Amino acid sequence: MPAALALQQFRADLAELLYQEPEEVDLDDSPVDSGLDSLRIVTLAERWQEYGIDVSFIDLADLPSFQHWWQLLEERQEERQKAGHHGDA
C-alpha cells in the first residue's frame, strides 16, 4: 500500500509548481489565482494518484482553495482505508 499523503508533502508538491517554498504556500489561496494552470493541476492529480488517492482534474478544478483540495484528499484517503483497498488498482 502506498504511504499516505501528508500535509507536509501536499504543501511541498504545491510549492514545487508554484515556485515557492512549502511554508510560503497559503492554503486559503485560490489555485487559479495562485497561477496554477490546467496542466499543473493535472500533474498534481496524477502525483497524488500515486498515493492511491482517487482524485482527478475535475475534482480539483471545482474547488476554491488549496485548503479545500487538502480536505478532499484527506477524505479520499480515509475512504480508501475504510474500504480496505491496499494499493489494489
Side-chain angles (χ1 to χ4, degrees), residues 1-45:
M1 178 165 117
L5 177 66
L7 180 58
Q8 180 179 4
Q9 184 60 51
F10 171 75
R11 291 177 79 100
D13 291 343
L14 292 173
E16 179 183 339
L17 296 183
L18 293 170
Y19 306 104
Q20 297 178 349
E21 293 299 319
E23 60 275 4
E24 295 175 324
V25 175
D26 185 344
L27 296 182
D28 291 326
D29 284 351
S30 159
V32 174
D33 291 345
S34 295
L36 287 183
D37 58 20
S38 58
L39 180 59
R40 290 180 182 158
I41 294 172
V42 167
T43 299
L44 288 166

mmCIF file of all heavy atoms in Angstrom, residues 1-45:
data_model
loop_
_atom_site.group_PDB
_atom_site.id
_atom_site.type_symbol
_atom_site.label_atom_id
_atom_site.label_comp_id
_atom_site.label_asym_id
_atom_site.label_seq_id
_atom_site.Cartn_x
_atom_site.Cartn_y
_atom_site.Cartn_z
ATOM 1 N N MET A 1 0.849 -1.184 0.000
ATOM 2 C CA MET A 1 0.000 0.000 0.000
ATOM 3 C C MET A 1 0.886 1.235 0.000
ATOM 4 O O MET A 1 1.826 1.323 0.783
ATOM 5 C CB MET A 1 -0.888 -0.016 1.242
ATOM 6 C CG MET A 1 -1.771 1.193 1.370
ATOM 7 S SD MET A 1 -3.087 0.936 2.565
ATOM 8 C CE MET A 1 -2.653 2.171 3.765
ATOM 9 N N PRO A 2 0.591 2.197 -0.865
ATOM 10 C CA PRO A 2 1.397 3.419 -0.870
ATOM 11 C C PRO A 2 1.269 4.154 0.465
ATOM 12 O O PRO A 2 0.244 4.056 1.136
ATOM 13 C CB PRO A 2 0.792 4.272 -1.993
ATOM 14 C CG PRO A 2 -0.095 3.360 -2.766
ATOM 15 C CD PRO A 2 -0.457 2.220 -1.868
ATOM 16 N N ALA A 3 2.298 4.867 0.821
ATOM 17 C CA ALA A 3 2.244 5.680 2.039
ATOM 18 C C ALA A 3 1.165 6.742 1.894
ATOM 19 O O ALA A 3 0.845 7.167 0.790
ATOM 20 C CB ALA A 3 3.606 6.329 2.286
ATOM 21 N N ALA A 4 0.613 7.153 3.015
ATOM 22 C CA ALA A 4 -0.408 8.199 2.991
ATOM 23 C C ALA A 4 0.234 9.535 2.635
ATOM 24 O O ALA A 4 1.379 9.801 2.983
ATOM 25 C CB ALA A 4 -1.095 8.285 4.349
ATOM 26 N N LEU A 5 -0.520 10.345 1.939
ATOM 27 C CA LEU A 5 -0.077 11.697 1.622
ATOM 28 C C LEU A 5 -0.230 12.551 2.872
ATOM 29 O O LEU A 5 -1.318 12.646 3.439
ATOM 30 C CB LEU A 5 -0.925 12.274 0.481
ATOM 31 C CG LEU A 5 -0.618 13.717 0.079
ATOM 32 C CD1 LEU A 5 0.783 13.828 -0.518
ATOM 33 C CD2 LEU A 5 -1.654 14.228 -0.898
ATOM 34 N N ALA A 6 0.854 13.148 3.306
ATOM 35 C CA ALA A 6 0.841 14.010 4.485
ATOM 36 C C ALA A 6 0.712 15.468 4.050
ATOM 37 O O ALA A 6 1.076 15.829 2.921
ATOM 38 C CB ALA A 6 2.119 13.819 5.291
ATOM 39 N N LEU A 7 0.215 16.303 4.949
ATOM 40 C CA LEU A 7 0.063 17.726 4.663
ATOM 41 C C LEU A 7 1.391 18.343 4.240
ATOM 42 O O LEU A 7 1.439 19.166 3.325
ATOM 43 C CB LEU A 7 -0.519 18.455 5.873
ATOM 44 C CG LEU A 7 -0.723 19.964 5.709
ATOM 45 C CD1 LEU A 7 -1.646 20.284 4.541
ATOM 46 C CD2 LEU A 7 -1.272 20.553 7.006
ATOM 47 N N GLN A 8 2.466 17.934 4.866
ATOM 48 C CA GLN A 8 3.789 18.471 4.529
ATOM 49 C C GLN A 8 4.134 18.177 3.059
ATOM 50 O O GLN A 8 4.641 19.042 2.352
ATOM 51 C CB GLN A 8 4.836 17.866 5.460
ATOM 52 C CG GLN A 8 6.229 18.352 5.214
ATOM 53 C CD GLN A 8 7.232 17.730 6.192
ATOM 54 O OE1 GLN A 8 6.901 16.890 7.008
ATOM 55 N NE2 GLN A 8 8.471 18.151 6.091
ATOM 56 N N GLN A 9 3.846 16.962 2.604
ATOM 57 C CA GLN A 9 4.130 16.610 1.211
ATOM 58 C C GLN A 9 3.188 17.336 0.263
ATOM 59 O O GLN A 9 3.583 17.775 -0.817
ATOM 60 C CB GLN A 9 4.020 15.097 0.993
ATOM 61 C CG GLN A 9 4.393 14.659 -0.409
ATOM 62 C CD GLN A 9 5.818 15.027 -0.769
ATOM 63 O OE1 GLN A 9 6.745 14.724 -0.021
ATOM 64 N NE2 GLN A 9 6.018 15.682 -1.910
ATOM 65 N N PHE A 10 1.930 17.484 0.655
ATOM 66 C CA PHE A 10 0.950 18.233 -0.130
ATOM 67 C C PHE A 10 1.457 19.659 -0.367
ATOM 68 O O PHE A 10 1.469 20.148 -1.498
ATOM 69 C CB PHE A 10 -0.388 18.237 0.621
ATOM 70 C CG PHE A 10 -1.447 19.137 0.041
ATOM 71 C CD1 PHE A 10 -2.125 18.794 -1.110
ATOM 72 C CD2 PHE A 10 -1.779 20.330 0.676
ATOM 73 C CE1 PHE A 10 -3.124 19.620 -1.629
ATOM 74 C CE2 PHE A 10 -2.771 21.160 0.171
ATOM 75 C CZ PHE A 10 -3.445 20.801 -0.984
ATOM 76 N N ARG A 11 1.907 20.305 0.701
ATOM 77 C CA ARG A 11 2.434 21.669 0.584
ATOM 78 C C ARG A 11 3.687 21.696 -0.294
ATOM 79 O O ARG A 11 3.866 22.612 -1.101
ATOM 80 C CB ARG A 11 2.744 22.241 1.956
ATOM 81 C CG ARG A 11 1.530 22.514 2.790
ATOM 82 C CD ARG A 11 1.929 23.016 4.169
ATOM 83 N NE ARG A 11 2.271 24.419 4.082
ATOM 84 C CZ ARG A 11 1.454 25.405 4.425
ATOM 85 N NH1 ARG A 11 0.263 25.138 4.896
ATOM 86 N NH2 ARG A 11 1.839 26.651 4.303
ATOM 87 N N ALA A 12 4.543 20.699 -0.154
ATOM 88 C CA ALA A 12 5.770 20.629 -0.963
ATOM 89 C C ALA A 12 5.426 20.456 -2.444
ATOM 90 O O ALA A 12 6.058 21.072 -3.315
ATOM 91 C CB ALA A 12 6.661 19.498 -0.475
ATOM 92 N N ASP A 13 4.436 19.631 -2.731
ATOM 93 C CA ASP A 13 4.014 19.425 -4.120
ATOM 94 C C ASP A 13 3.480 20.726 -4.721
ATOM 95 O O ASP A 13 3.813 21.083 -5.858
ATOM 96 C CB ASP A 13 2.930 18.345 -4.210
ATOM 97 C CG ASP A 13 3.442 16.948 -3.902
ATOM 98 O OD1 ASP A 13 4.673 16.727 -3.929
ATOM 99 O OD2 ASP A 13 2.603 16.072 -3.619
ATOM 100 N N LEU A 14 2.644 21.428 -3.959
ATOM 101 C CA LEU A 14 2.125 22.709 -4.430
ATOM 102 C C LEU A 14 3.259 23.706 -4.634
ATOM 103 O O LEU A 14 3.328 24.385 -5.662
ATOM 104 C CB LEU A 14 1.119 23.285 -3.430
ATOM 105 C CG LEU A 14 -0.196 22.542 -3.270
ATOM 106 C CD1 LEU A 14 -1.000 23.146 -2.133
ATOM 107 C CD2 LEU A 14 -0.988 22.536 -4.561
ATOM 108 N N ALA A 15 4.138 23.796 -3.651
ATOM 109 C CA ALA A 15 5.236 24.766 -3.695
ATOM 110 C C ALA A 15 6.112 24.558 -4.925
ATOM 111 O O ALA A 15 6.534 25.521 -5.568
ATOM 112 C CB ALA A 15 6.066 24.663 -2.427
ATOM 113 N N GLU A 16 6.360 23.298 -5.257
ATOM 114 C CA GLU A 16 7.202 22.998 -6.419
ATOM 115 C C GLU A 16 6.631 23.613 -7.691
ATOM 116 O O GLU A 16 7.357 24.224 -8.476
ATOM 117 C CB GLU A 16 7.323 21.484 -6.581
ATOM 118 C CG GLU A 16 8.154 21.067 -7.770
ATOM 119 C CD GLU A 16 8.196 19.569 -7.949
ATOM 120 O OE1 GLU A 16 7.940 18.818 -6.996
ATOM 121 O OE2 GLU A 16 8.487 19.150 -9.082
ATOM 122 N N LEU A 17 5.326 23.497 -7.880
ATOM 123 C CA LEU A 17 4.707 24.009 -9.102
ATOM 124 C C LEU A 17 4.367 25.491 -9.021
ATOM 125 O O LEU A 17 4.090 26.121 -10.039
ATOM 126 C CB LEU A 17 3.474 23.183 -9.454
ATOM 127 C CG LEU A 17 3.773 21.723 -9.798
ATOM 128 C CD1 LEU A 17 2.508 20.996 -10.198
ATOM 129 C CD2 LEU A 17 4.814 21.596 -10.886
ATOM 130 N N LEU A 18 4.390 26.051 -7.815
ATOM 131 C CA LEU A 18 4.150 27.485 -7.641
ATOM 132 C C LEU A 18 5.458 28.267 -7.535
ATOM 133 O O LEU A 18 5.438 29.487 -7.398
ATOM 134 C CB LEU A 18 3.321 27.729 -6.376
ATOM 135 C CG LEU A 18 1.891 27.220 -6.402
ATOM 136 C CD1 LEU A 18 1.271 27.315 -5.010
ATOM 137 C CD2 LEU A 18 1.063 27.990 -7.418
ATOM 138 N N TYR A 19 6.581 27.543 -7.578
ATOM 139 C CA TYR A 19 7.910 28.152 -7.442
ATOM 140 C C TYR A 19 8.025 28.909 -6.121
ATOM 141 O O TYR A 19 8.451 30.062 -6.082
ATOM 142 C CB TYR A 19 8.234 29.050 -8.640
ATOM 143 C CG TYR A 19 8.092 28.327 -9.953
ATOM 144 C CD1 TYR A 19 6.996 28.553 -10.781
ATOM 145 C CD2 TYR A 19 9.033 27.384 -10.354
ATOM 146 C CE1 TYR A 19 6.849 27.869 -11.982
ATOM 147 C CE2 TYR A 19 8.899 26.693 -11.547
ATOM 148 C CZ TYR A 19 7.803 26.946 -12.358
ATOM 149 O OH TYR A 19 7.656 26.258 -13.536
ATOM 150 N N GLN A 20 7.606 28.224 -5.051
ATOM 151 C CA GLN A 20 7.667 28.779 -3.706
ATOM 152 C C GLN A 20 8.306 27.760 -2.780
ATOM 153 O O GLN A 20 8.530 26.607 -3.162
ATOM 154 C CB GLN A 20 6.255 29.086 -3.177
ATOM 155 C CG GLN A 20 5.492 30.118 -3.932
ATOM 156 C CD GLN A 20 4.082 30.322 -3.355
ATOM 157 O OE1 GLN A 20 3.613 29.556 -2.527
ATOM 158 N NE2 GLN A 20 3.427 31.357 -3.812
ATOM 159 N N GLU A 21 8.525 28.183 -1.560
ATOM 160 C CA GLU A 21 8.915 27.267 -0.501
ATOM 161 C C GLU A 21 7.622 26.732 0.119
ATOM 162 O O GLU A 21 6.612 27.454 0.158
ATOM 163 C CB GLU A 21 9.752 27.986 0.560
ATOM 164 C CG GLU A 21 11.116 28.436 0.054
ATOM 165 C CD GLU A 21 11.982 27.281 -0.415
ATOM 166 O OE1 GLU A 21 11.997 26.220 0.259
ATOM 167 O OE2 GLU A 21 12.650 27.419 -1.464
ATOM 168 N N PRO A 22 7.631 25.503 0.625
ATOM 169 C CA PRO A 22 6.401 24.942 1.191
ATOM 170 C C PRO A 22 5.740 25.825 2.245
ATOM 171 O O PRO A 22 4.510 25.956 2.263
ATOM 172 C CB PRO A 22 6.859 23.614 1.787
ATOM 173 C CG PRO A 22 8.019 23.213 0.925
ATOM 174 C CD PRO A 22 8.709 24.514 0.590
ATOM 175 N N GLU A 23 6.533 26.459 3.083
ATOM 176 C CA GLU A 23 5.950 27.301 4.136
ATOM 177 C C GLU A 23 5.327 28.586 3.585
ATOM 178 O O GLU A 23 4.577 29.266 4.279
ATOM 179 C CB GLU A 23 6.975 27.631 5.233
ATOM 180 C CG GLU A 23 8.189 28.367 4.752
ATOM 181 C CD GLU A 23 9.312 27.482 4.208
ATOM 182 O OE1 GLU A 23 9.149 26.244 4.127
ATOM 183 O OE2 GLU A 23 10.358 28.040 3.851
ATOM 184 N N GLU A 24 5.613 28.914 2.328
ATOM 185 C CA GLU A 24 5.034 30.105 1.697
ATOM 186 C C GLU A 24 3.653 29.842 1.098
ATOM 187 O O GLU A 24 2.933 30.782 0.769
ATOM 188 C CB GLU A 24 5.955 30.621 0.587
ATOM 189 C CG GLU A 24 7.292 31.123 1.078
ATOM 190 C CD GLU A 24 8.225 31.510 -0.060
ATOM 191 O OE1 GLU A 24 8.214 30.838 -1.121
ATOM 192 O OE2 GLU A 24 8.971 32.483 0.128
ATOM 193 N N VAL A 25 3.289 28.577 0.960
ATOM 194 C CA VAL A 25 2.000 28.229 0.362
ATOM 195 C C VAL A 25 0.892 28.542 1.364
ATOM 196 O O VAL A 25 0.877 28.017 2.469
ATOM 197 C CB VAL A 25 1.960 26.742 -0.031
ATOM 198 C CG1 VAL A 25 0.570 26.363 -0.539
ATOM 199 C CG2 VAL A 25 3.014 26.431 -1.085
ATOM 200 N N ASP A 26 -0.012 29.412 0.960
ATOM 201 C CA ASP A 26 -1.166 29.771 1.786
ATOM 202 C C ASP A 26 -2.331 28.874 1.373
ATOM 203 O O ASP A 26 -2.825 28.968 0.240
ATOM 204 C CB ASP A 26 -1.520 31.241 1.591
ATOM 205 C CG ASP A 26 -2.630 31.719 2.508
ATOM 206 O OD1 ASP A 26 -3.341 30.866 3.096
ATOM 207 O OD2 ASP A 26 -2.798 32.946 2.628
ATOM 208 N N LEU A 27 -2.752 28.014 2.270
ATOM 209 C CA LEU A 27 -3.810 27.063 1.932
ATOM 210 C C LEU A 27 -5.152 27.727 1.672
ATOM 211 O O LEU A 27 -6.051 27.114 1.096
ATOM 212 C CB LEU A 27 -3.945 26.001 3.025
ATOM 213 C CG LEU A 27 -2.725 25.103 3.207
ATOM 214 C CD1 LEU A 27 -3.002 24.056 4.275
ATOM 215 C CD2 LEU A 27 -2.294 24.444 1.911
ATOM 216 N N ASP A 28 -5.299 28.986 2.066
ATOM 217 C CA ASP A 28 -6.536 29.716 1.790
ATOM 218 C C ASP A 28 -6.557 30.314 0.385
ATOM 219 O O ASP A 28 -7.587 30.818 -0.057
ATOM 220 C CB ASP A 28 -6.744 30.830 2.821
ATOM 221 C CG ASP A 28 -7.048 30.268 4.199
ATOM 222 O OD1 ASP A 28 -7.697 29.208 4.289
ATOM 223 O OD2 ASP A 28 -6.621 30.882 5.187
ATOM 224 N N ASP A 29 -5.439 30.254 -0.311
ATOM 225 C CA ASP A 29 -5.362 30.825 -1.656
ATOM 226 C C ASP A 29 -6.137 30.000 -2.673
ATOM 227 O O ASP A 29 -6.268 28.776 -2.543
ATOM 228 C CB ASP A 29 -3.906 30.920 -2.125
ATOM 229 C CG ASP A 29 -3.160 32.073 -1.488
ATOM 230 O OD1 ASP A 29 -3.791 32.912 -0.817
ATOM 231 O OD2 ASP A 29 -1.926 32.132 -1.661
ATOM 232 N N SER A 30 -6.588 30.672 -3.702
ATOM 233 C CA SER A 30 -7.238 30.027 -4.833
ATOM 234 C C SER A 30 -6.166 29.440 -5.749
ATOM 235 O O SER A 30 -5.194 30.126 -6.085
ATOM 236 C CB SER A 30 -8.046 31.065 -5.613
ATOM 237 O OG SER A 30 -8.293 30.626 -6.924
ATOM 238 N N PRO A 31 -6.325 28.195 -6.166
ATOM 239 C CA PRO A 31 -5.340 27.601 -7.080
ATOM 240 C C PRO A 31 -5.157 28.408 -8.365
ATOM 241 O O PRO A 31 -4.033 28.633 -8.801
ATOM 242 C CB PRO A 31 -5.912 26.214 -7.360
ATOM 243 C CG PRO A 31 -6.729 25.910 -6.132
ATOM 244 C CD PRO A 31 -7.319 27.224 -5.729
ATOM 245 N N VAL A 32 -6.247 28.854 -8.956
ATOM 246 C CA VAL A 32 -6.160 29.598 -10.218
ATOM 247 C C VAL A 32 -5.507 30.957 -9.995
ATOM 248 O O VAL A 32 -4.620 31.367 -10.746
ATOM 249 C CB VAL A 32 -7.551 29.735 -10.864
ATOM 250 C CG1 VAL A 32 -7.499 30.629 -12.087
ATOM 251 C CG2 VAL A 32 -8.112 28.368 -11.230
ATOM 252 N N ASP A 33 -5.914 31.644 -8.933
ATOM 253 C CA ASP A 33 -5.320 32.952 -8.639
ATOM 254 C C ASP A 33 -3.845 32.841 -8.272
ATOM 255 O O ASP A 33 -3.094 33.794 -8.435
ATOM 256 C CB ASP A 33 -6.077 33.649 -7.503
ATOM 257 C CG ASP A 33 -7.482 34.068 -7.920
ATOM 258 O OD1 ASP A 33 -7.781 34.088 -9.133
ATOM 259 O OD2 ASP A 33 -8.291 34.365 -7.016
ATOM 260 N N SER A 34 -3.448 31.661 -7.808
ATOM 261 C CA SER A 34 -2.043 31.437 -7.454
ATOM 262 C C SER A 34 -1.174 31.149 -8.672
ATOM 263 O O SER A 34 0.046 31.106 -8.565
ATOM 264 C CB SER A 34 -1.933 30.270 -6.471
ATOM 265 O OG SER A 34 -2.566 30.589 -5.270
ATOM 266 N N GLY A 35 -1.816 30.911 -9.804
ATOM 267 C CA GLY A 35 -1.063 30.696 -11.029
ATOM 268 C C GLY A 35 -1.035 29.270 -11.532
ATOM 269 O O GLY A 35 -0.306 28.961 -12.474
ATOM 270 N N LEU A 36 -1.816 28.384 -10.940
ATOM 271 C CA LEU A 36 -1.848 27.009 -11.437
ATOM 272 C C LEU A 36 -2.753 26.926 -12.662
ATOM 273 O O LEU A 36 -3.927 27.273 -12.596
ATOM 274 C CB LEU A 36 -2.361 26.049 -10.364
ATOM 275 C CG LEU A 36 -1.417 25.746 -9.210
ATOM 276 C CD1 LEU A 36 -2.059 24.731 -8.277
ATOM 277 C CD2 LEU A 36 -0.076 25.244 -9.686
ATOM 278 N N ASP A 37 -2.190 26.475 -13.761
ATOM 279 C CA ASP A 37 -2.981 26.260 -14.967
ATOM 280 C C ASP A 37 -3.463 24.806 -14.992
ATOM 281 O O ASP A 37 -3.121 24.012 -14.111
ATOM 282 C CB ASP A 37 -2.185 26.621 -16.214
ATOM 283 C CG ASP A 37 -0.892 25.823 -16.354
ATOM 284 O OD1 ASP A 37 -0.763 24.742 -15.731
ATOM 285 O OD2 ASP A 37 -0.007 26.279 -17.080
ATOM 286 N N SER A 38 -4.236 24.477 -15.988
ATOM 287 C CA SER A 38 -4.826 23.134 -16.046
ATOM 288 C C SER A 38 -3.768 22.038 -16.118
ATOM 289 O O SER A 38 -3.935 20.984 -15.496
ATOM 290 C CB SER A 38 -5.801 23.019 -17.207
ATOM 291 O OG SER A 38 -5.166 23.308 -18.433
ATOM 292 N N LEU A 39 -2.684 22.263 -16.827
ATOM 293 C CA LEU A 39 -1.635 21.247 -16.927
ATOM 294 C C LEU A 39 -1.007 20.965 -15.567
ATOM 295 O O LEU A 39 -0.763 19.808 -15.206
ATOM 296 C CB LEU A 39 -0.560 21.683 -17.926
ATOM 297 C CG LEU A 39 0.588 20.703 -18.126
ATOM 298 C CD1 LEU A 39 0.068 19.360 -18.624
ATOM 299 C CD2 LEU A 39 1.605 21.261 -19.094
ATOM 300 N N ARG A 40 -0.769 22.001 -14.796
ATOM 301 C CA ARG A 40 -0.179 21.809 -13.465
ATOM 302 C C ARG A 40 -1.155 21.110 -12.526
ATOM 303 O O ARG A 40 -0.742 20.300 -11.691
ATOM 304 C CB ARG A 40 0.268 23.146 -12.884
ATOM 305 C CG ARG A 40 1.473 23.710 -13.603
ATOM 306 C CD ARG A 40 1.903 25.018 -13.011
ATOM 307 N NE ARG A 40 3.036 25.544 -13.757
ATOM 308 C CZ ARG A 40 3.368 26.811 -13.772
ATOM 309 N NH1 ARG A 40 2.684 27.693 -13.083
ATOM 310 N NH2 ARG A 40 4.406 27.220 -14.472
ATOM 311 N N ILE A 41 -2.435 21.409 -12.661
ATOM 312 C CA ILE A 41 -3.434 20.740 -11.820
ATOM 313 C C ILE A 41 -3.490 19.253 -12.173
ATOM 314 O O ILE A 41 -3.545 18.399 -11.286
ATOM 315 C CB ILE A 41 -4.813 21.418 -11.955
ATOM 316 C CG1 ILE A 41 -4.742 22.844 -11.390
ATOM 317 C CG2 ILE A 41 -5.886 20.598 -11.227
ATOM 318 C CD1 ILE A 41 -5.989 23.681 -11.637
ATOM 319 N N VAL A 42 -3.436 18.936 -13.453
ATOM 320 C CA VAL A 42 -3.404 17.534 -13.881
ATOM 321 C C VAL A 42 -2.155 16.849 -13.327
ATOM 322 O O VAL A 42 -2.223 15.716 -12.834
ATOM 323 C CB VAL A 42 -3.463 17.411 -15.424
ATOM 324 C CG1 VAL A 42 -3.123 16.005 -15.879
ATOM 325 C CG2 VAL A 42 -4.821 17.835 -15.937
ATOM 326 N N THR A 43 -1.031 17.535 -13.389
ATOM 327 C CA THR A 43 0.227 16.985 -12.864
ATOM 328 C C THR A 43 0.085 16.650 -11.383
ATOM 329 O O THR A 43 0.508 15.578 -10.929
ATOM 330 C CB THR A 43 1.385 17.982 -13.080
ATOM 331 O OG1 THR A 43 1.539 18.203 -14.484
ATOM 332 C CG2 THR A 43 2.678 17.478 -12.479
ATOM 333 N N LEU A 44 -0.514 17.552 -10.619
ATOM 334 C CA LEU A 44 -0.711 17.310 -9.187
ATOM 335 C C LEU A 44 -1.665 16.143 -8.956
ATOM 336 O O LEU A 44 -1.406 15.279 -8.105
ATOM 337 C CB LEU A 44 -1.220 18.569 -8.502
ATOM 338 C CG LEU A 44 -0.187 19.690 -8.353
ATOM 339 C CD1 LEU A 44 -0.865 20.998 -7.984
ATOM 340 C CD2 LEU A 44 0.865 19.311 -7.321
ATOM 341 N N ALA A 45 -2.758 16.099 -9.696
ATOM 342 C CA ALA A 45 -3.715 14.997 -9.542
ATOM 343 C C ALA A 45 -3.031 13.661 -9.805
ATOM 344 O O ALA A 45 -3.200 12.697 -9.042
ATOM 345 C CB ALA A 45 -4.907 15.189 -10.469
#
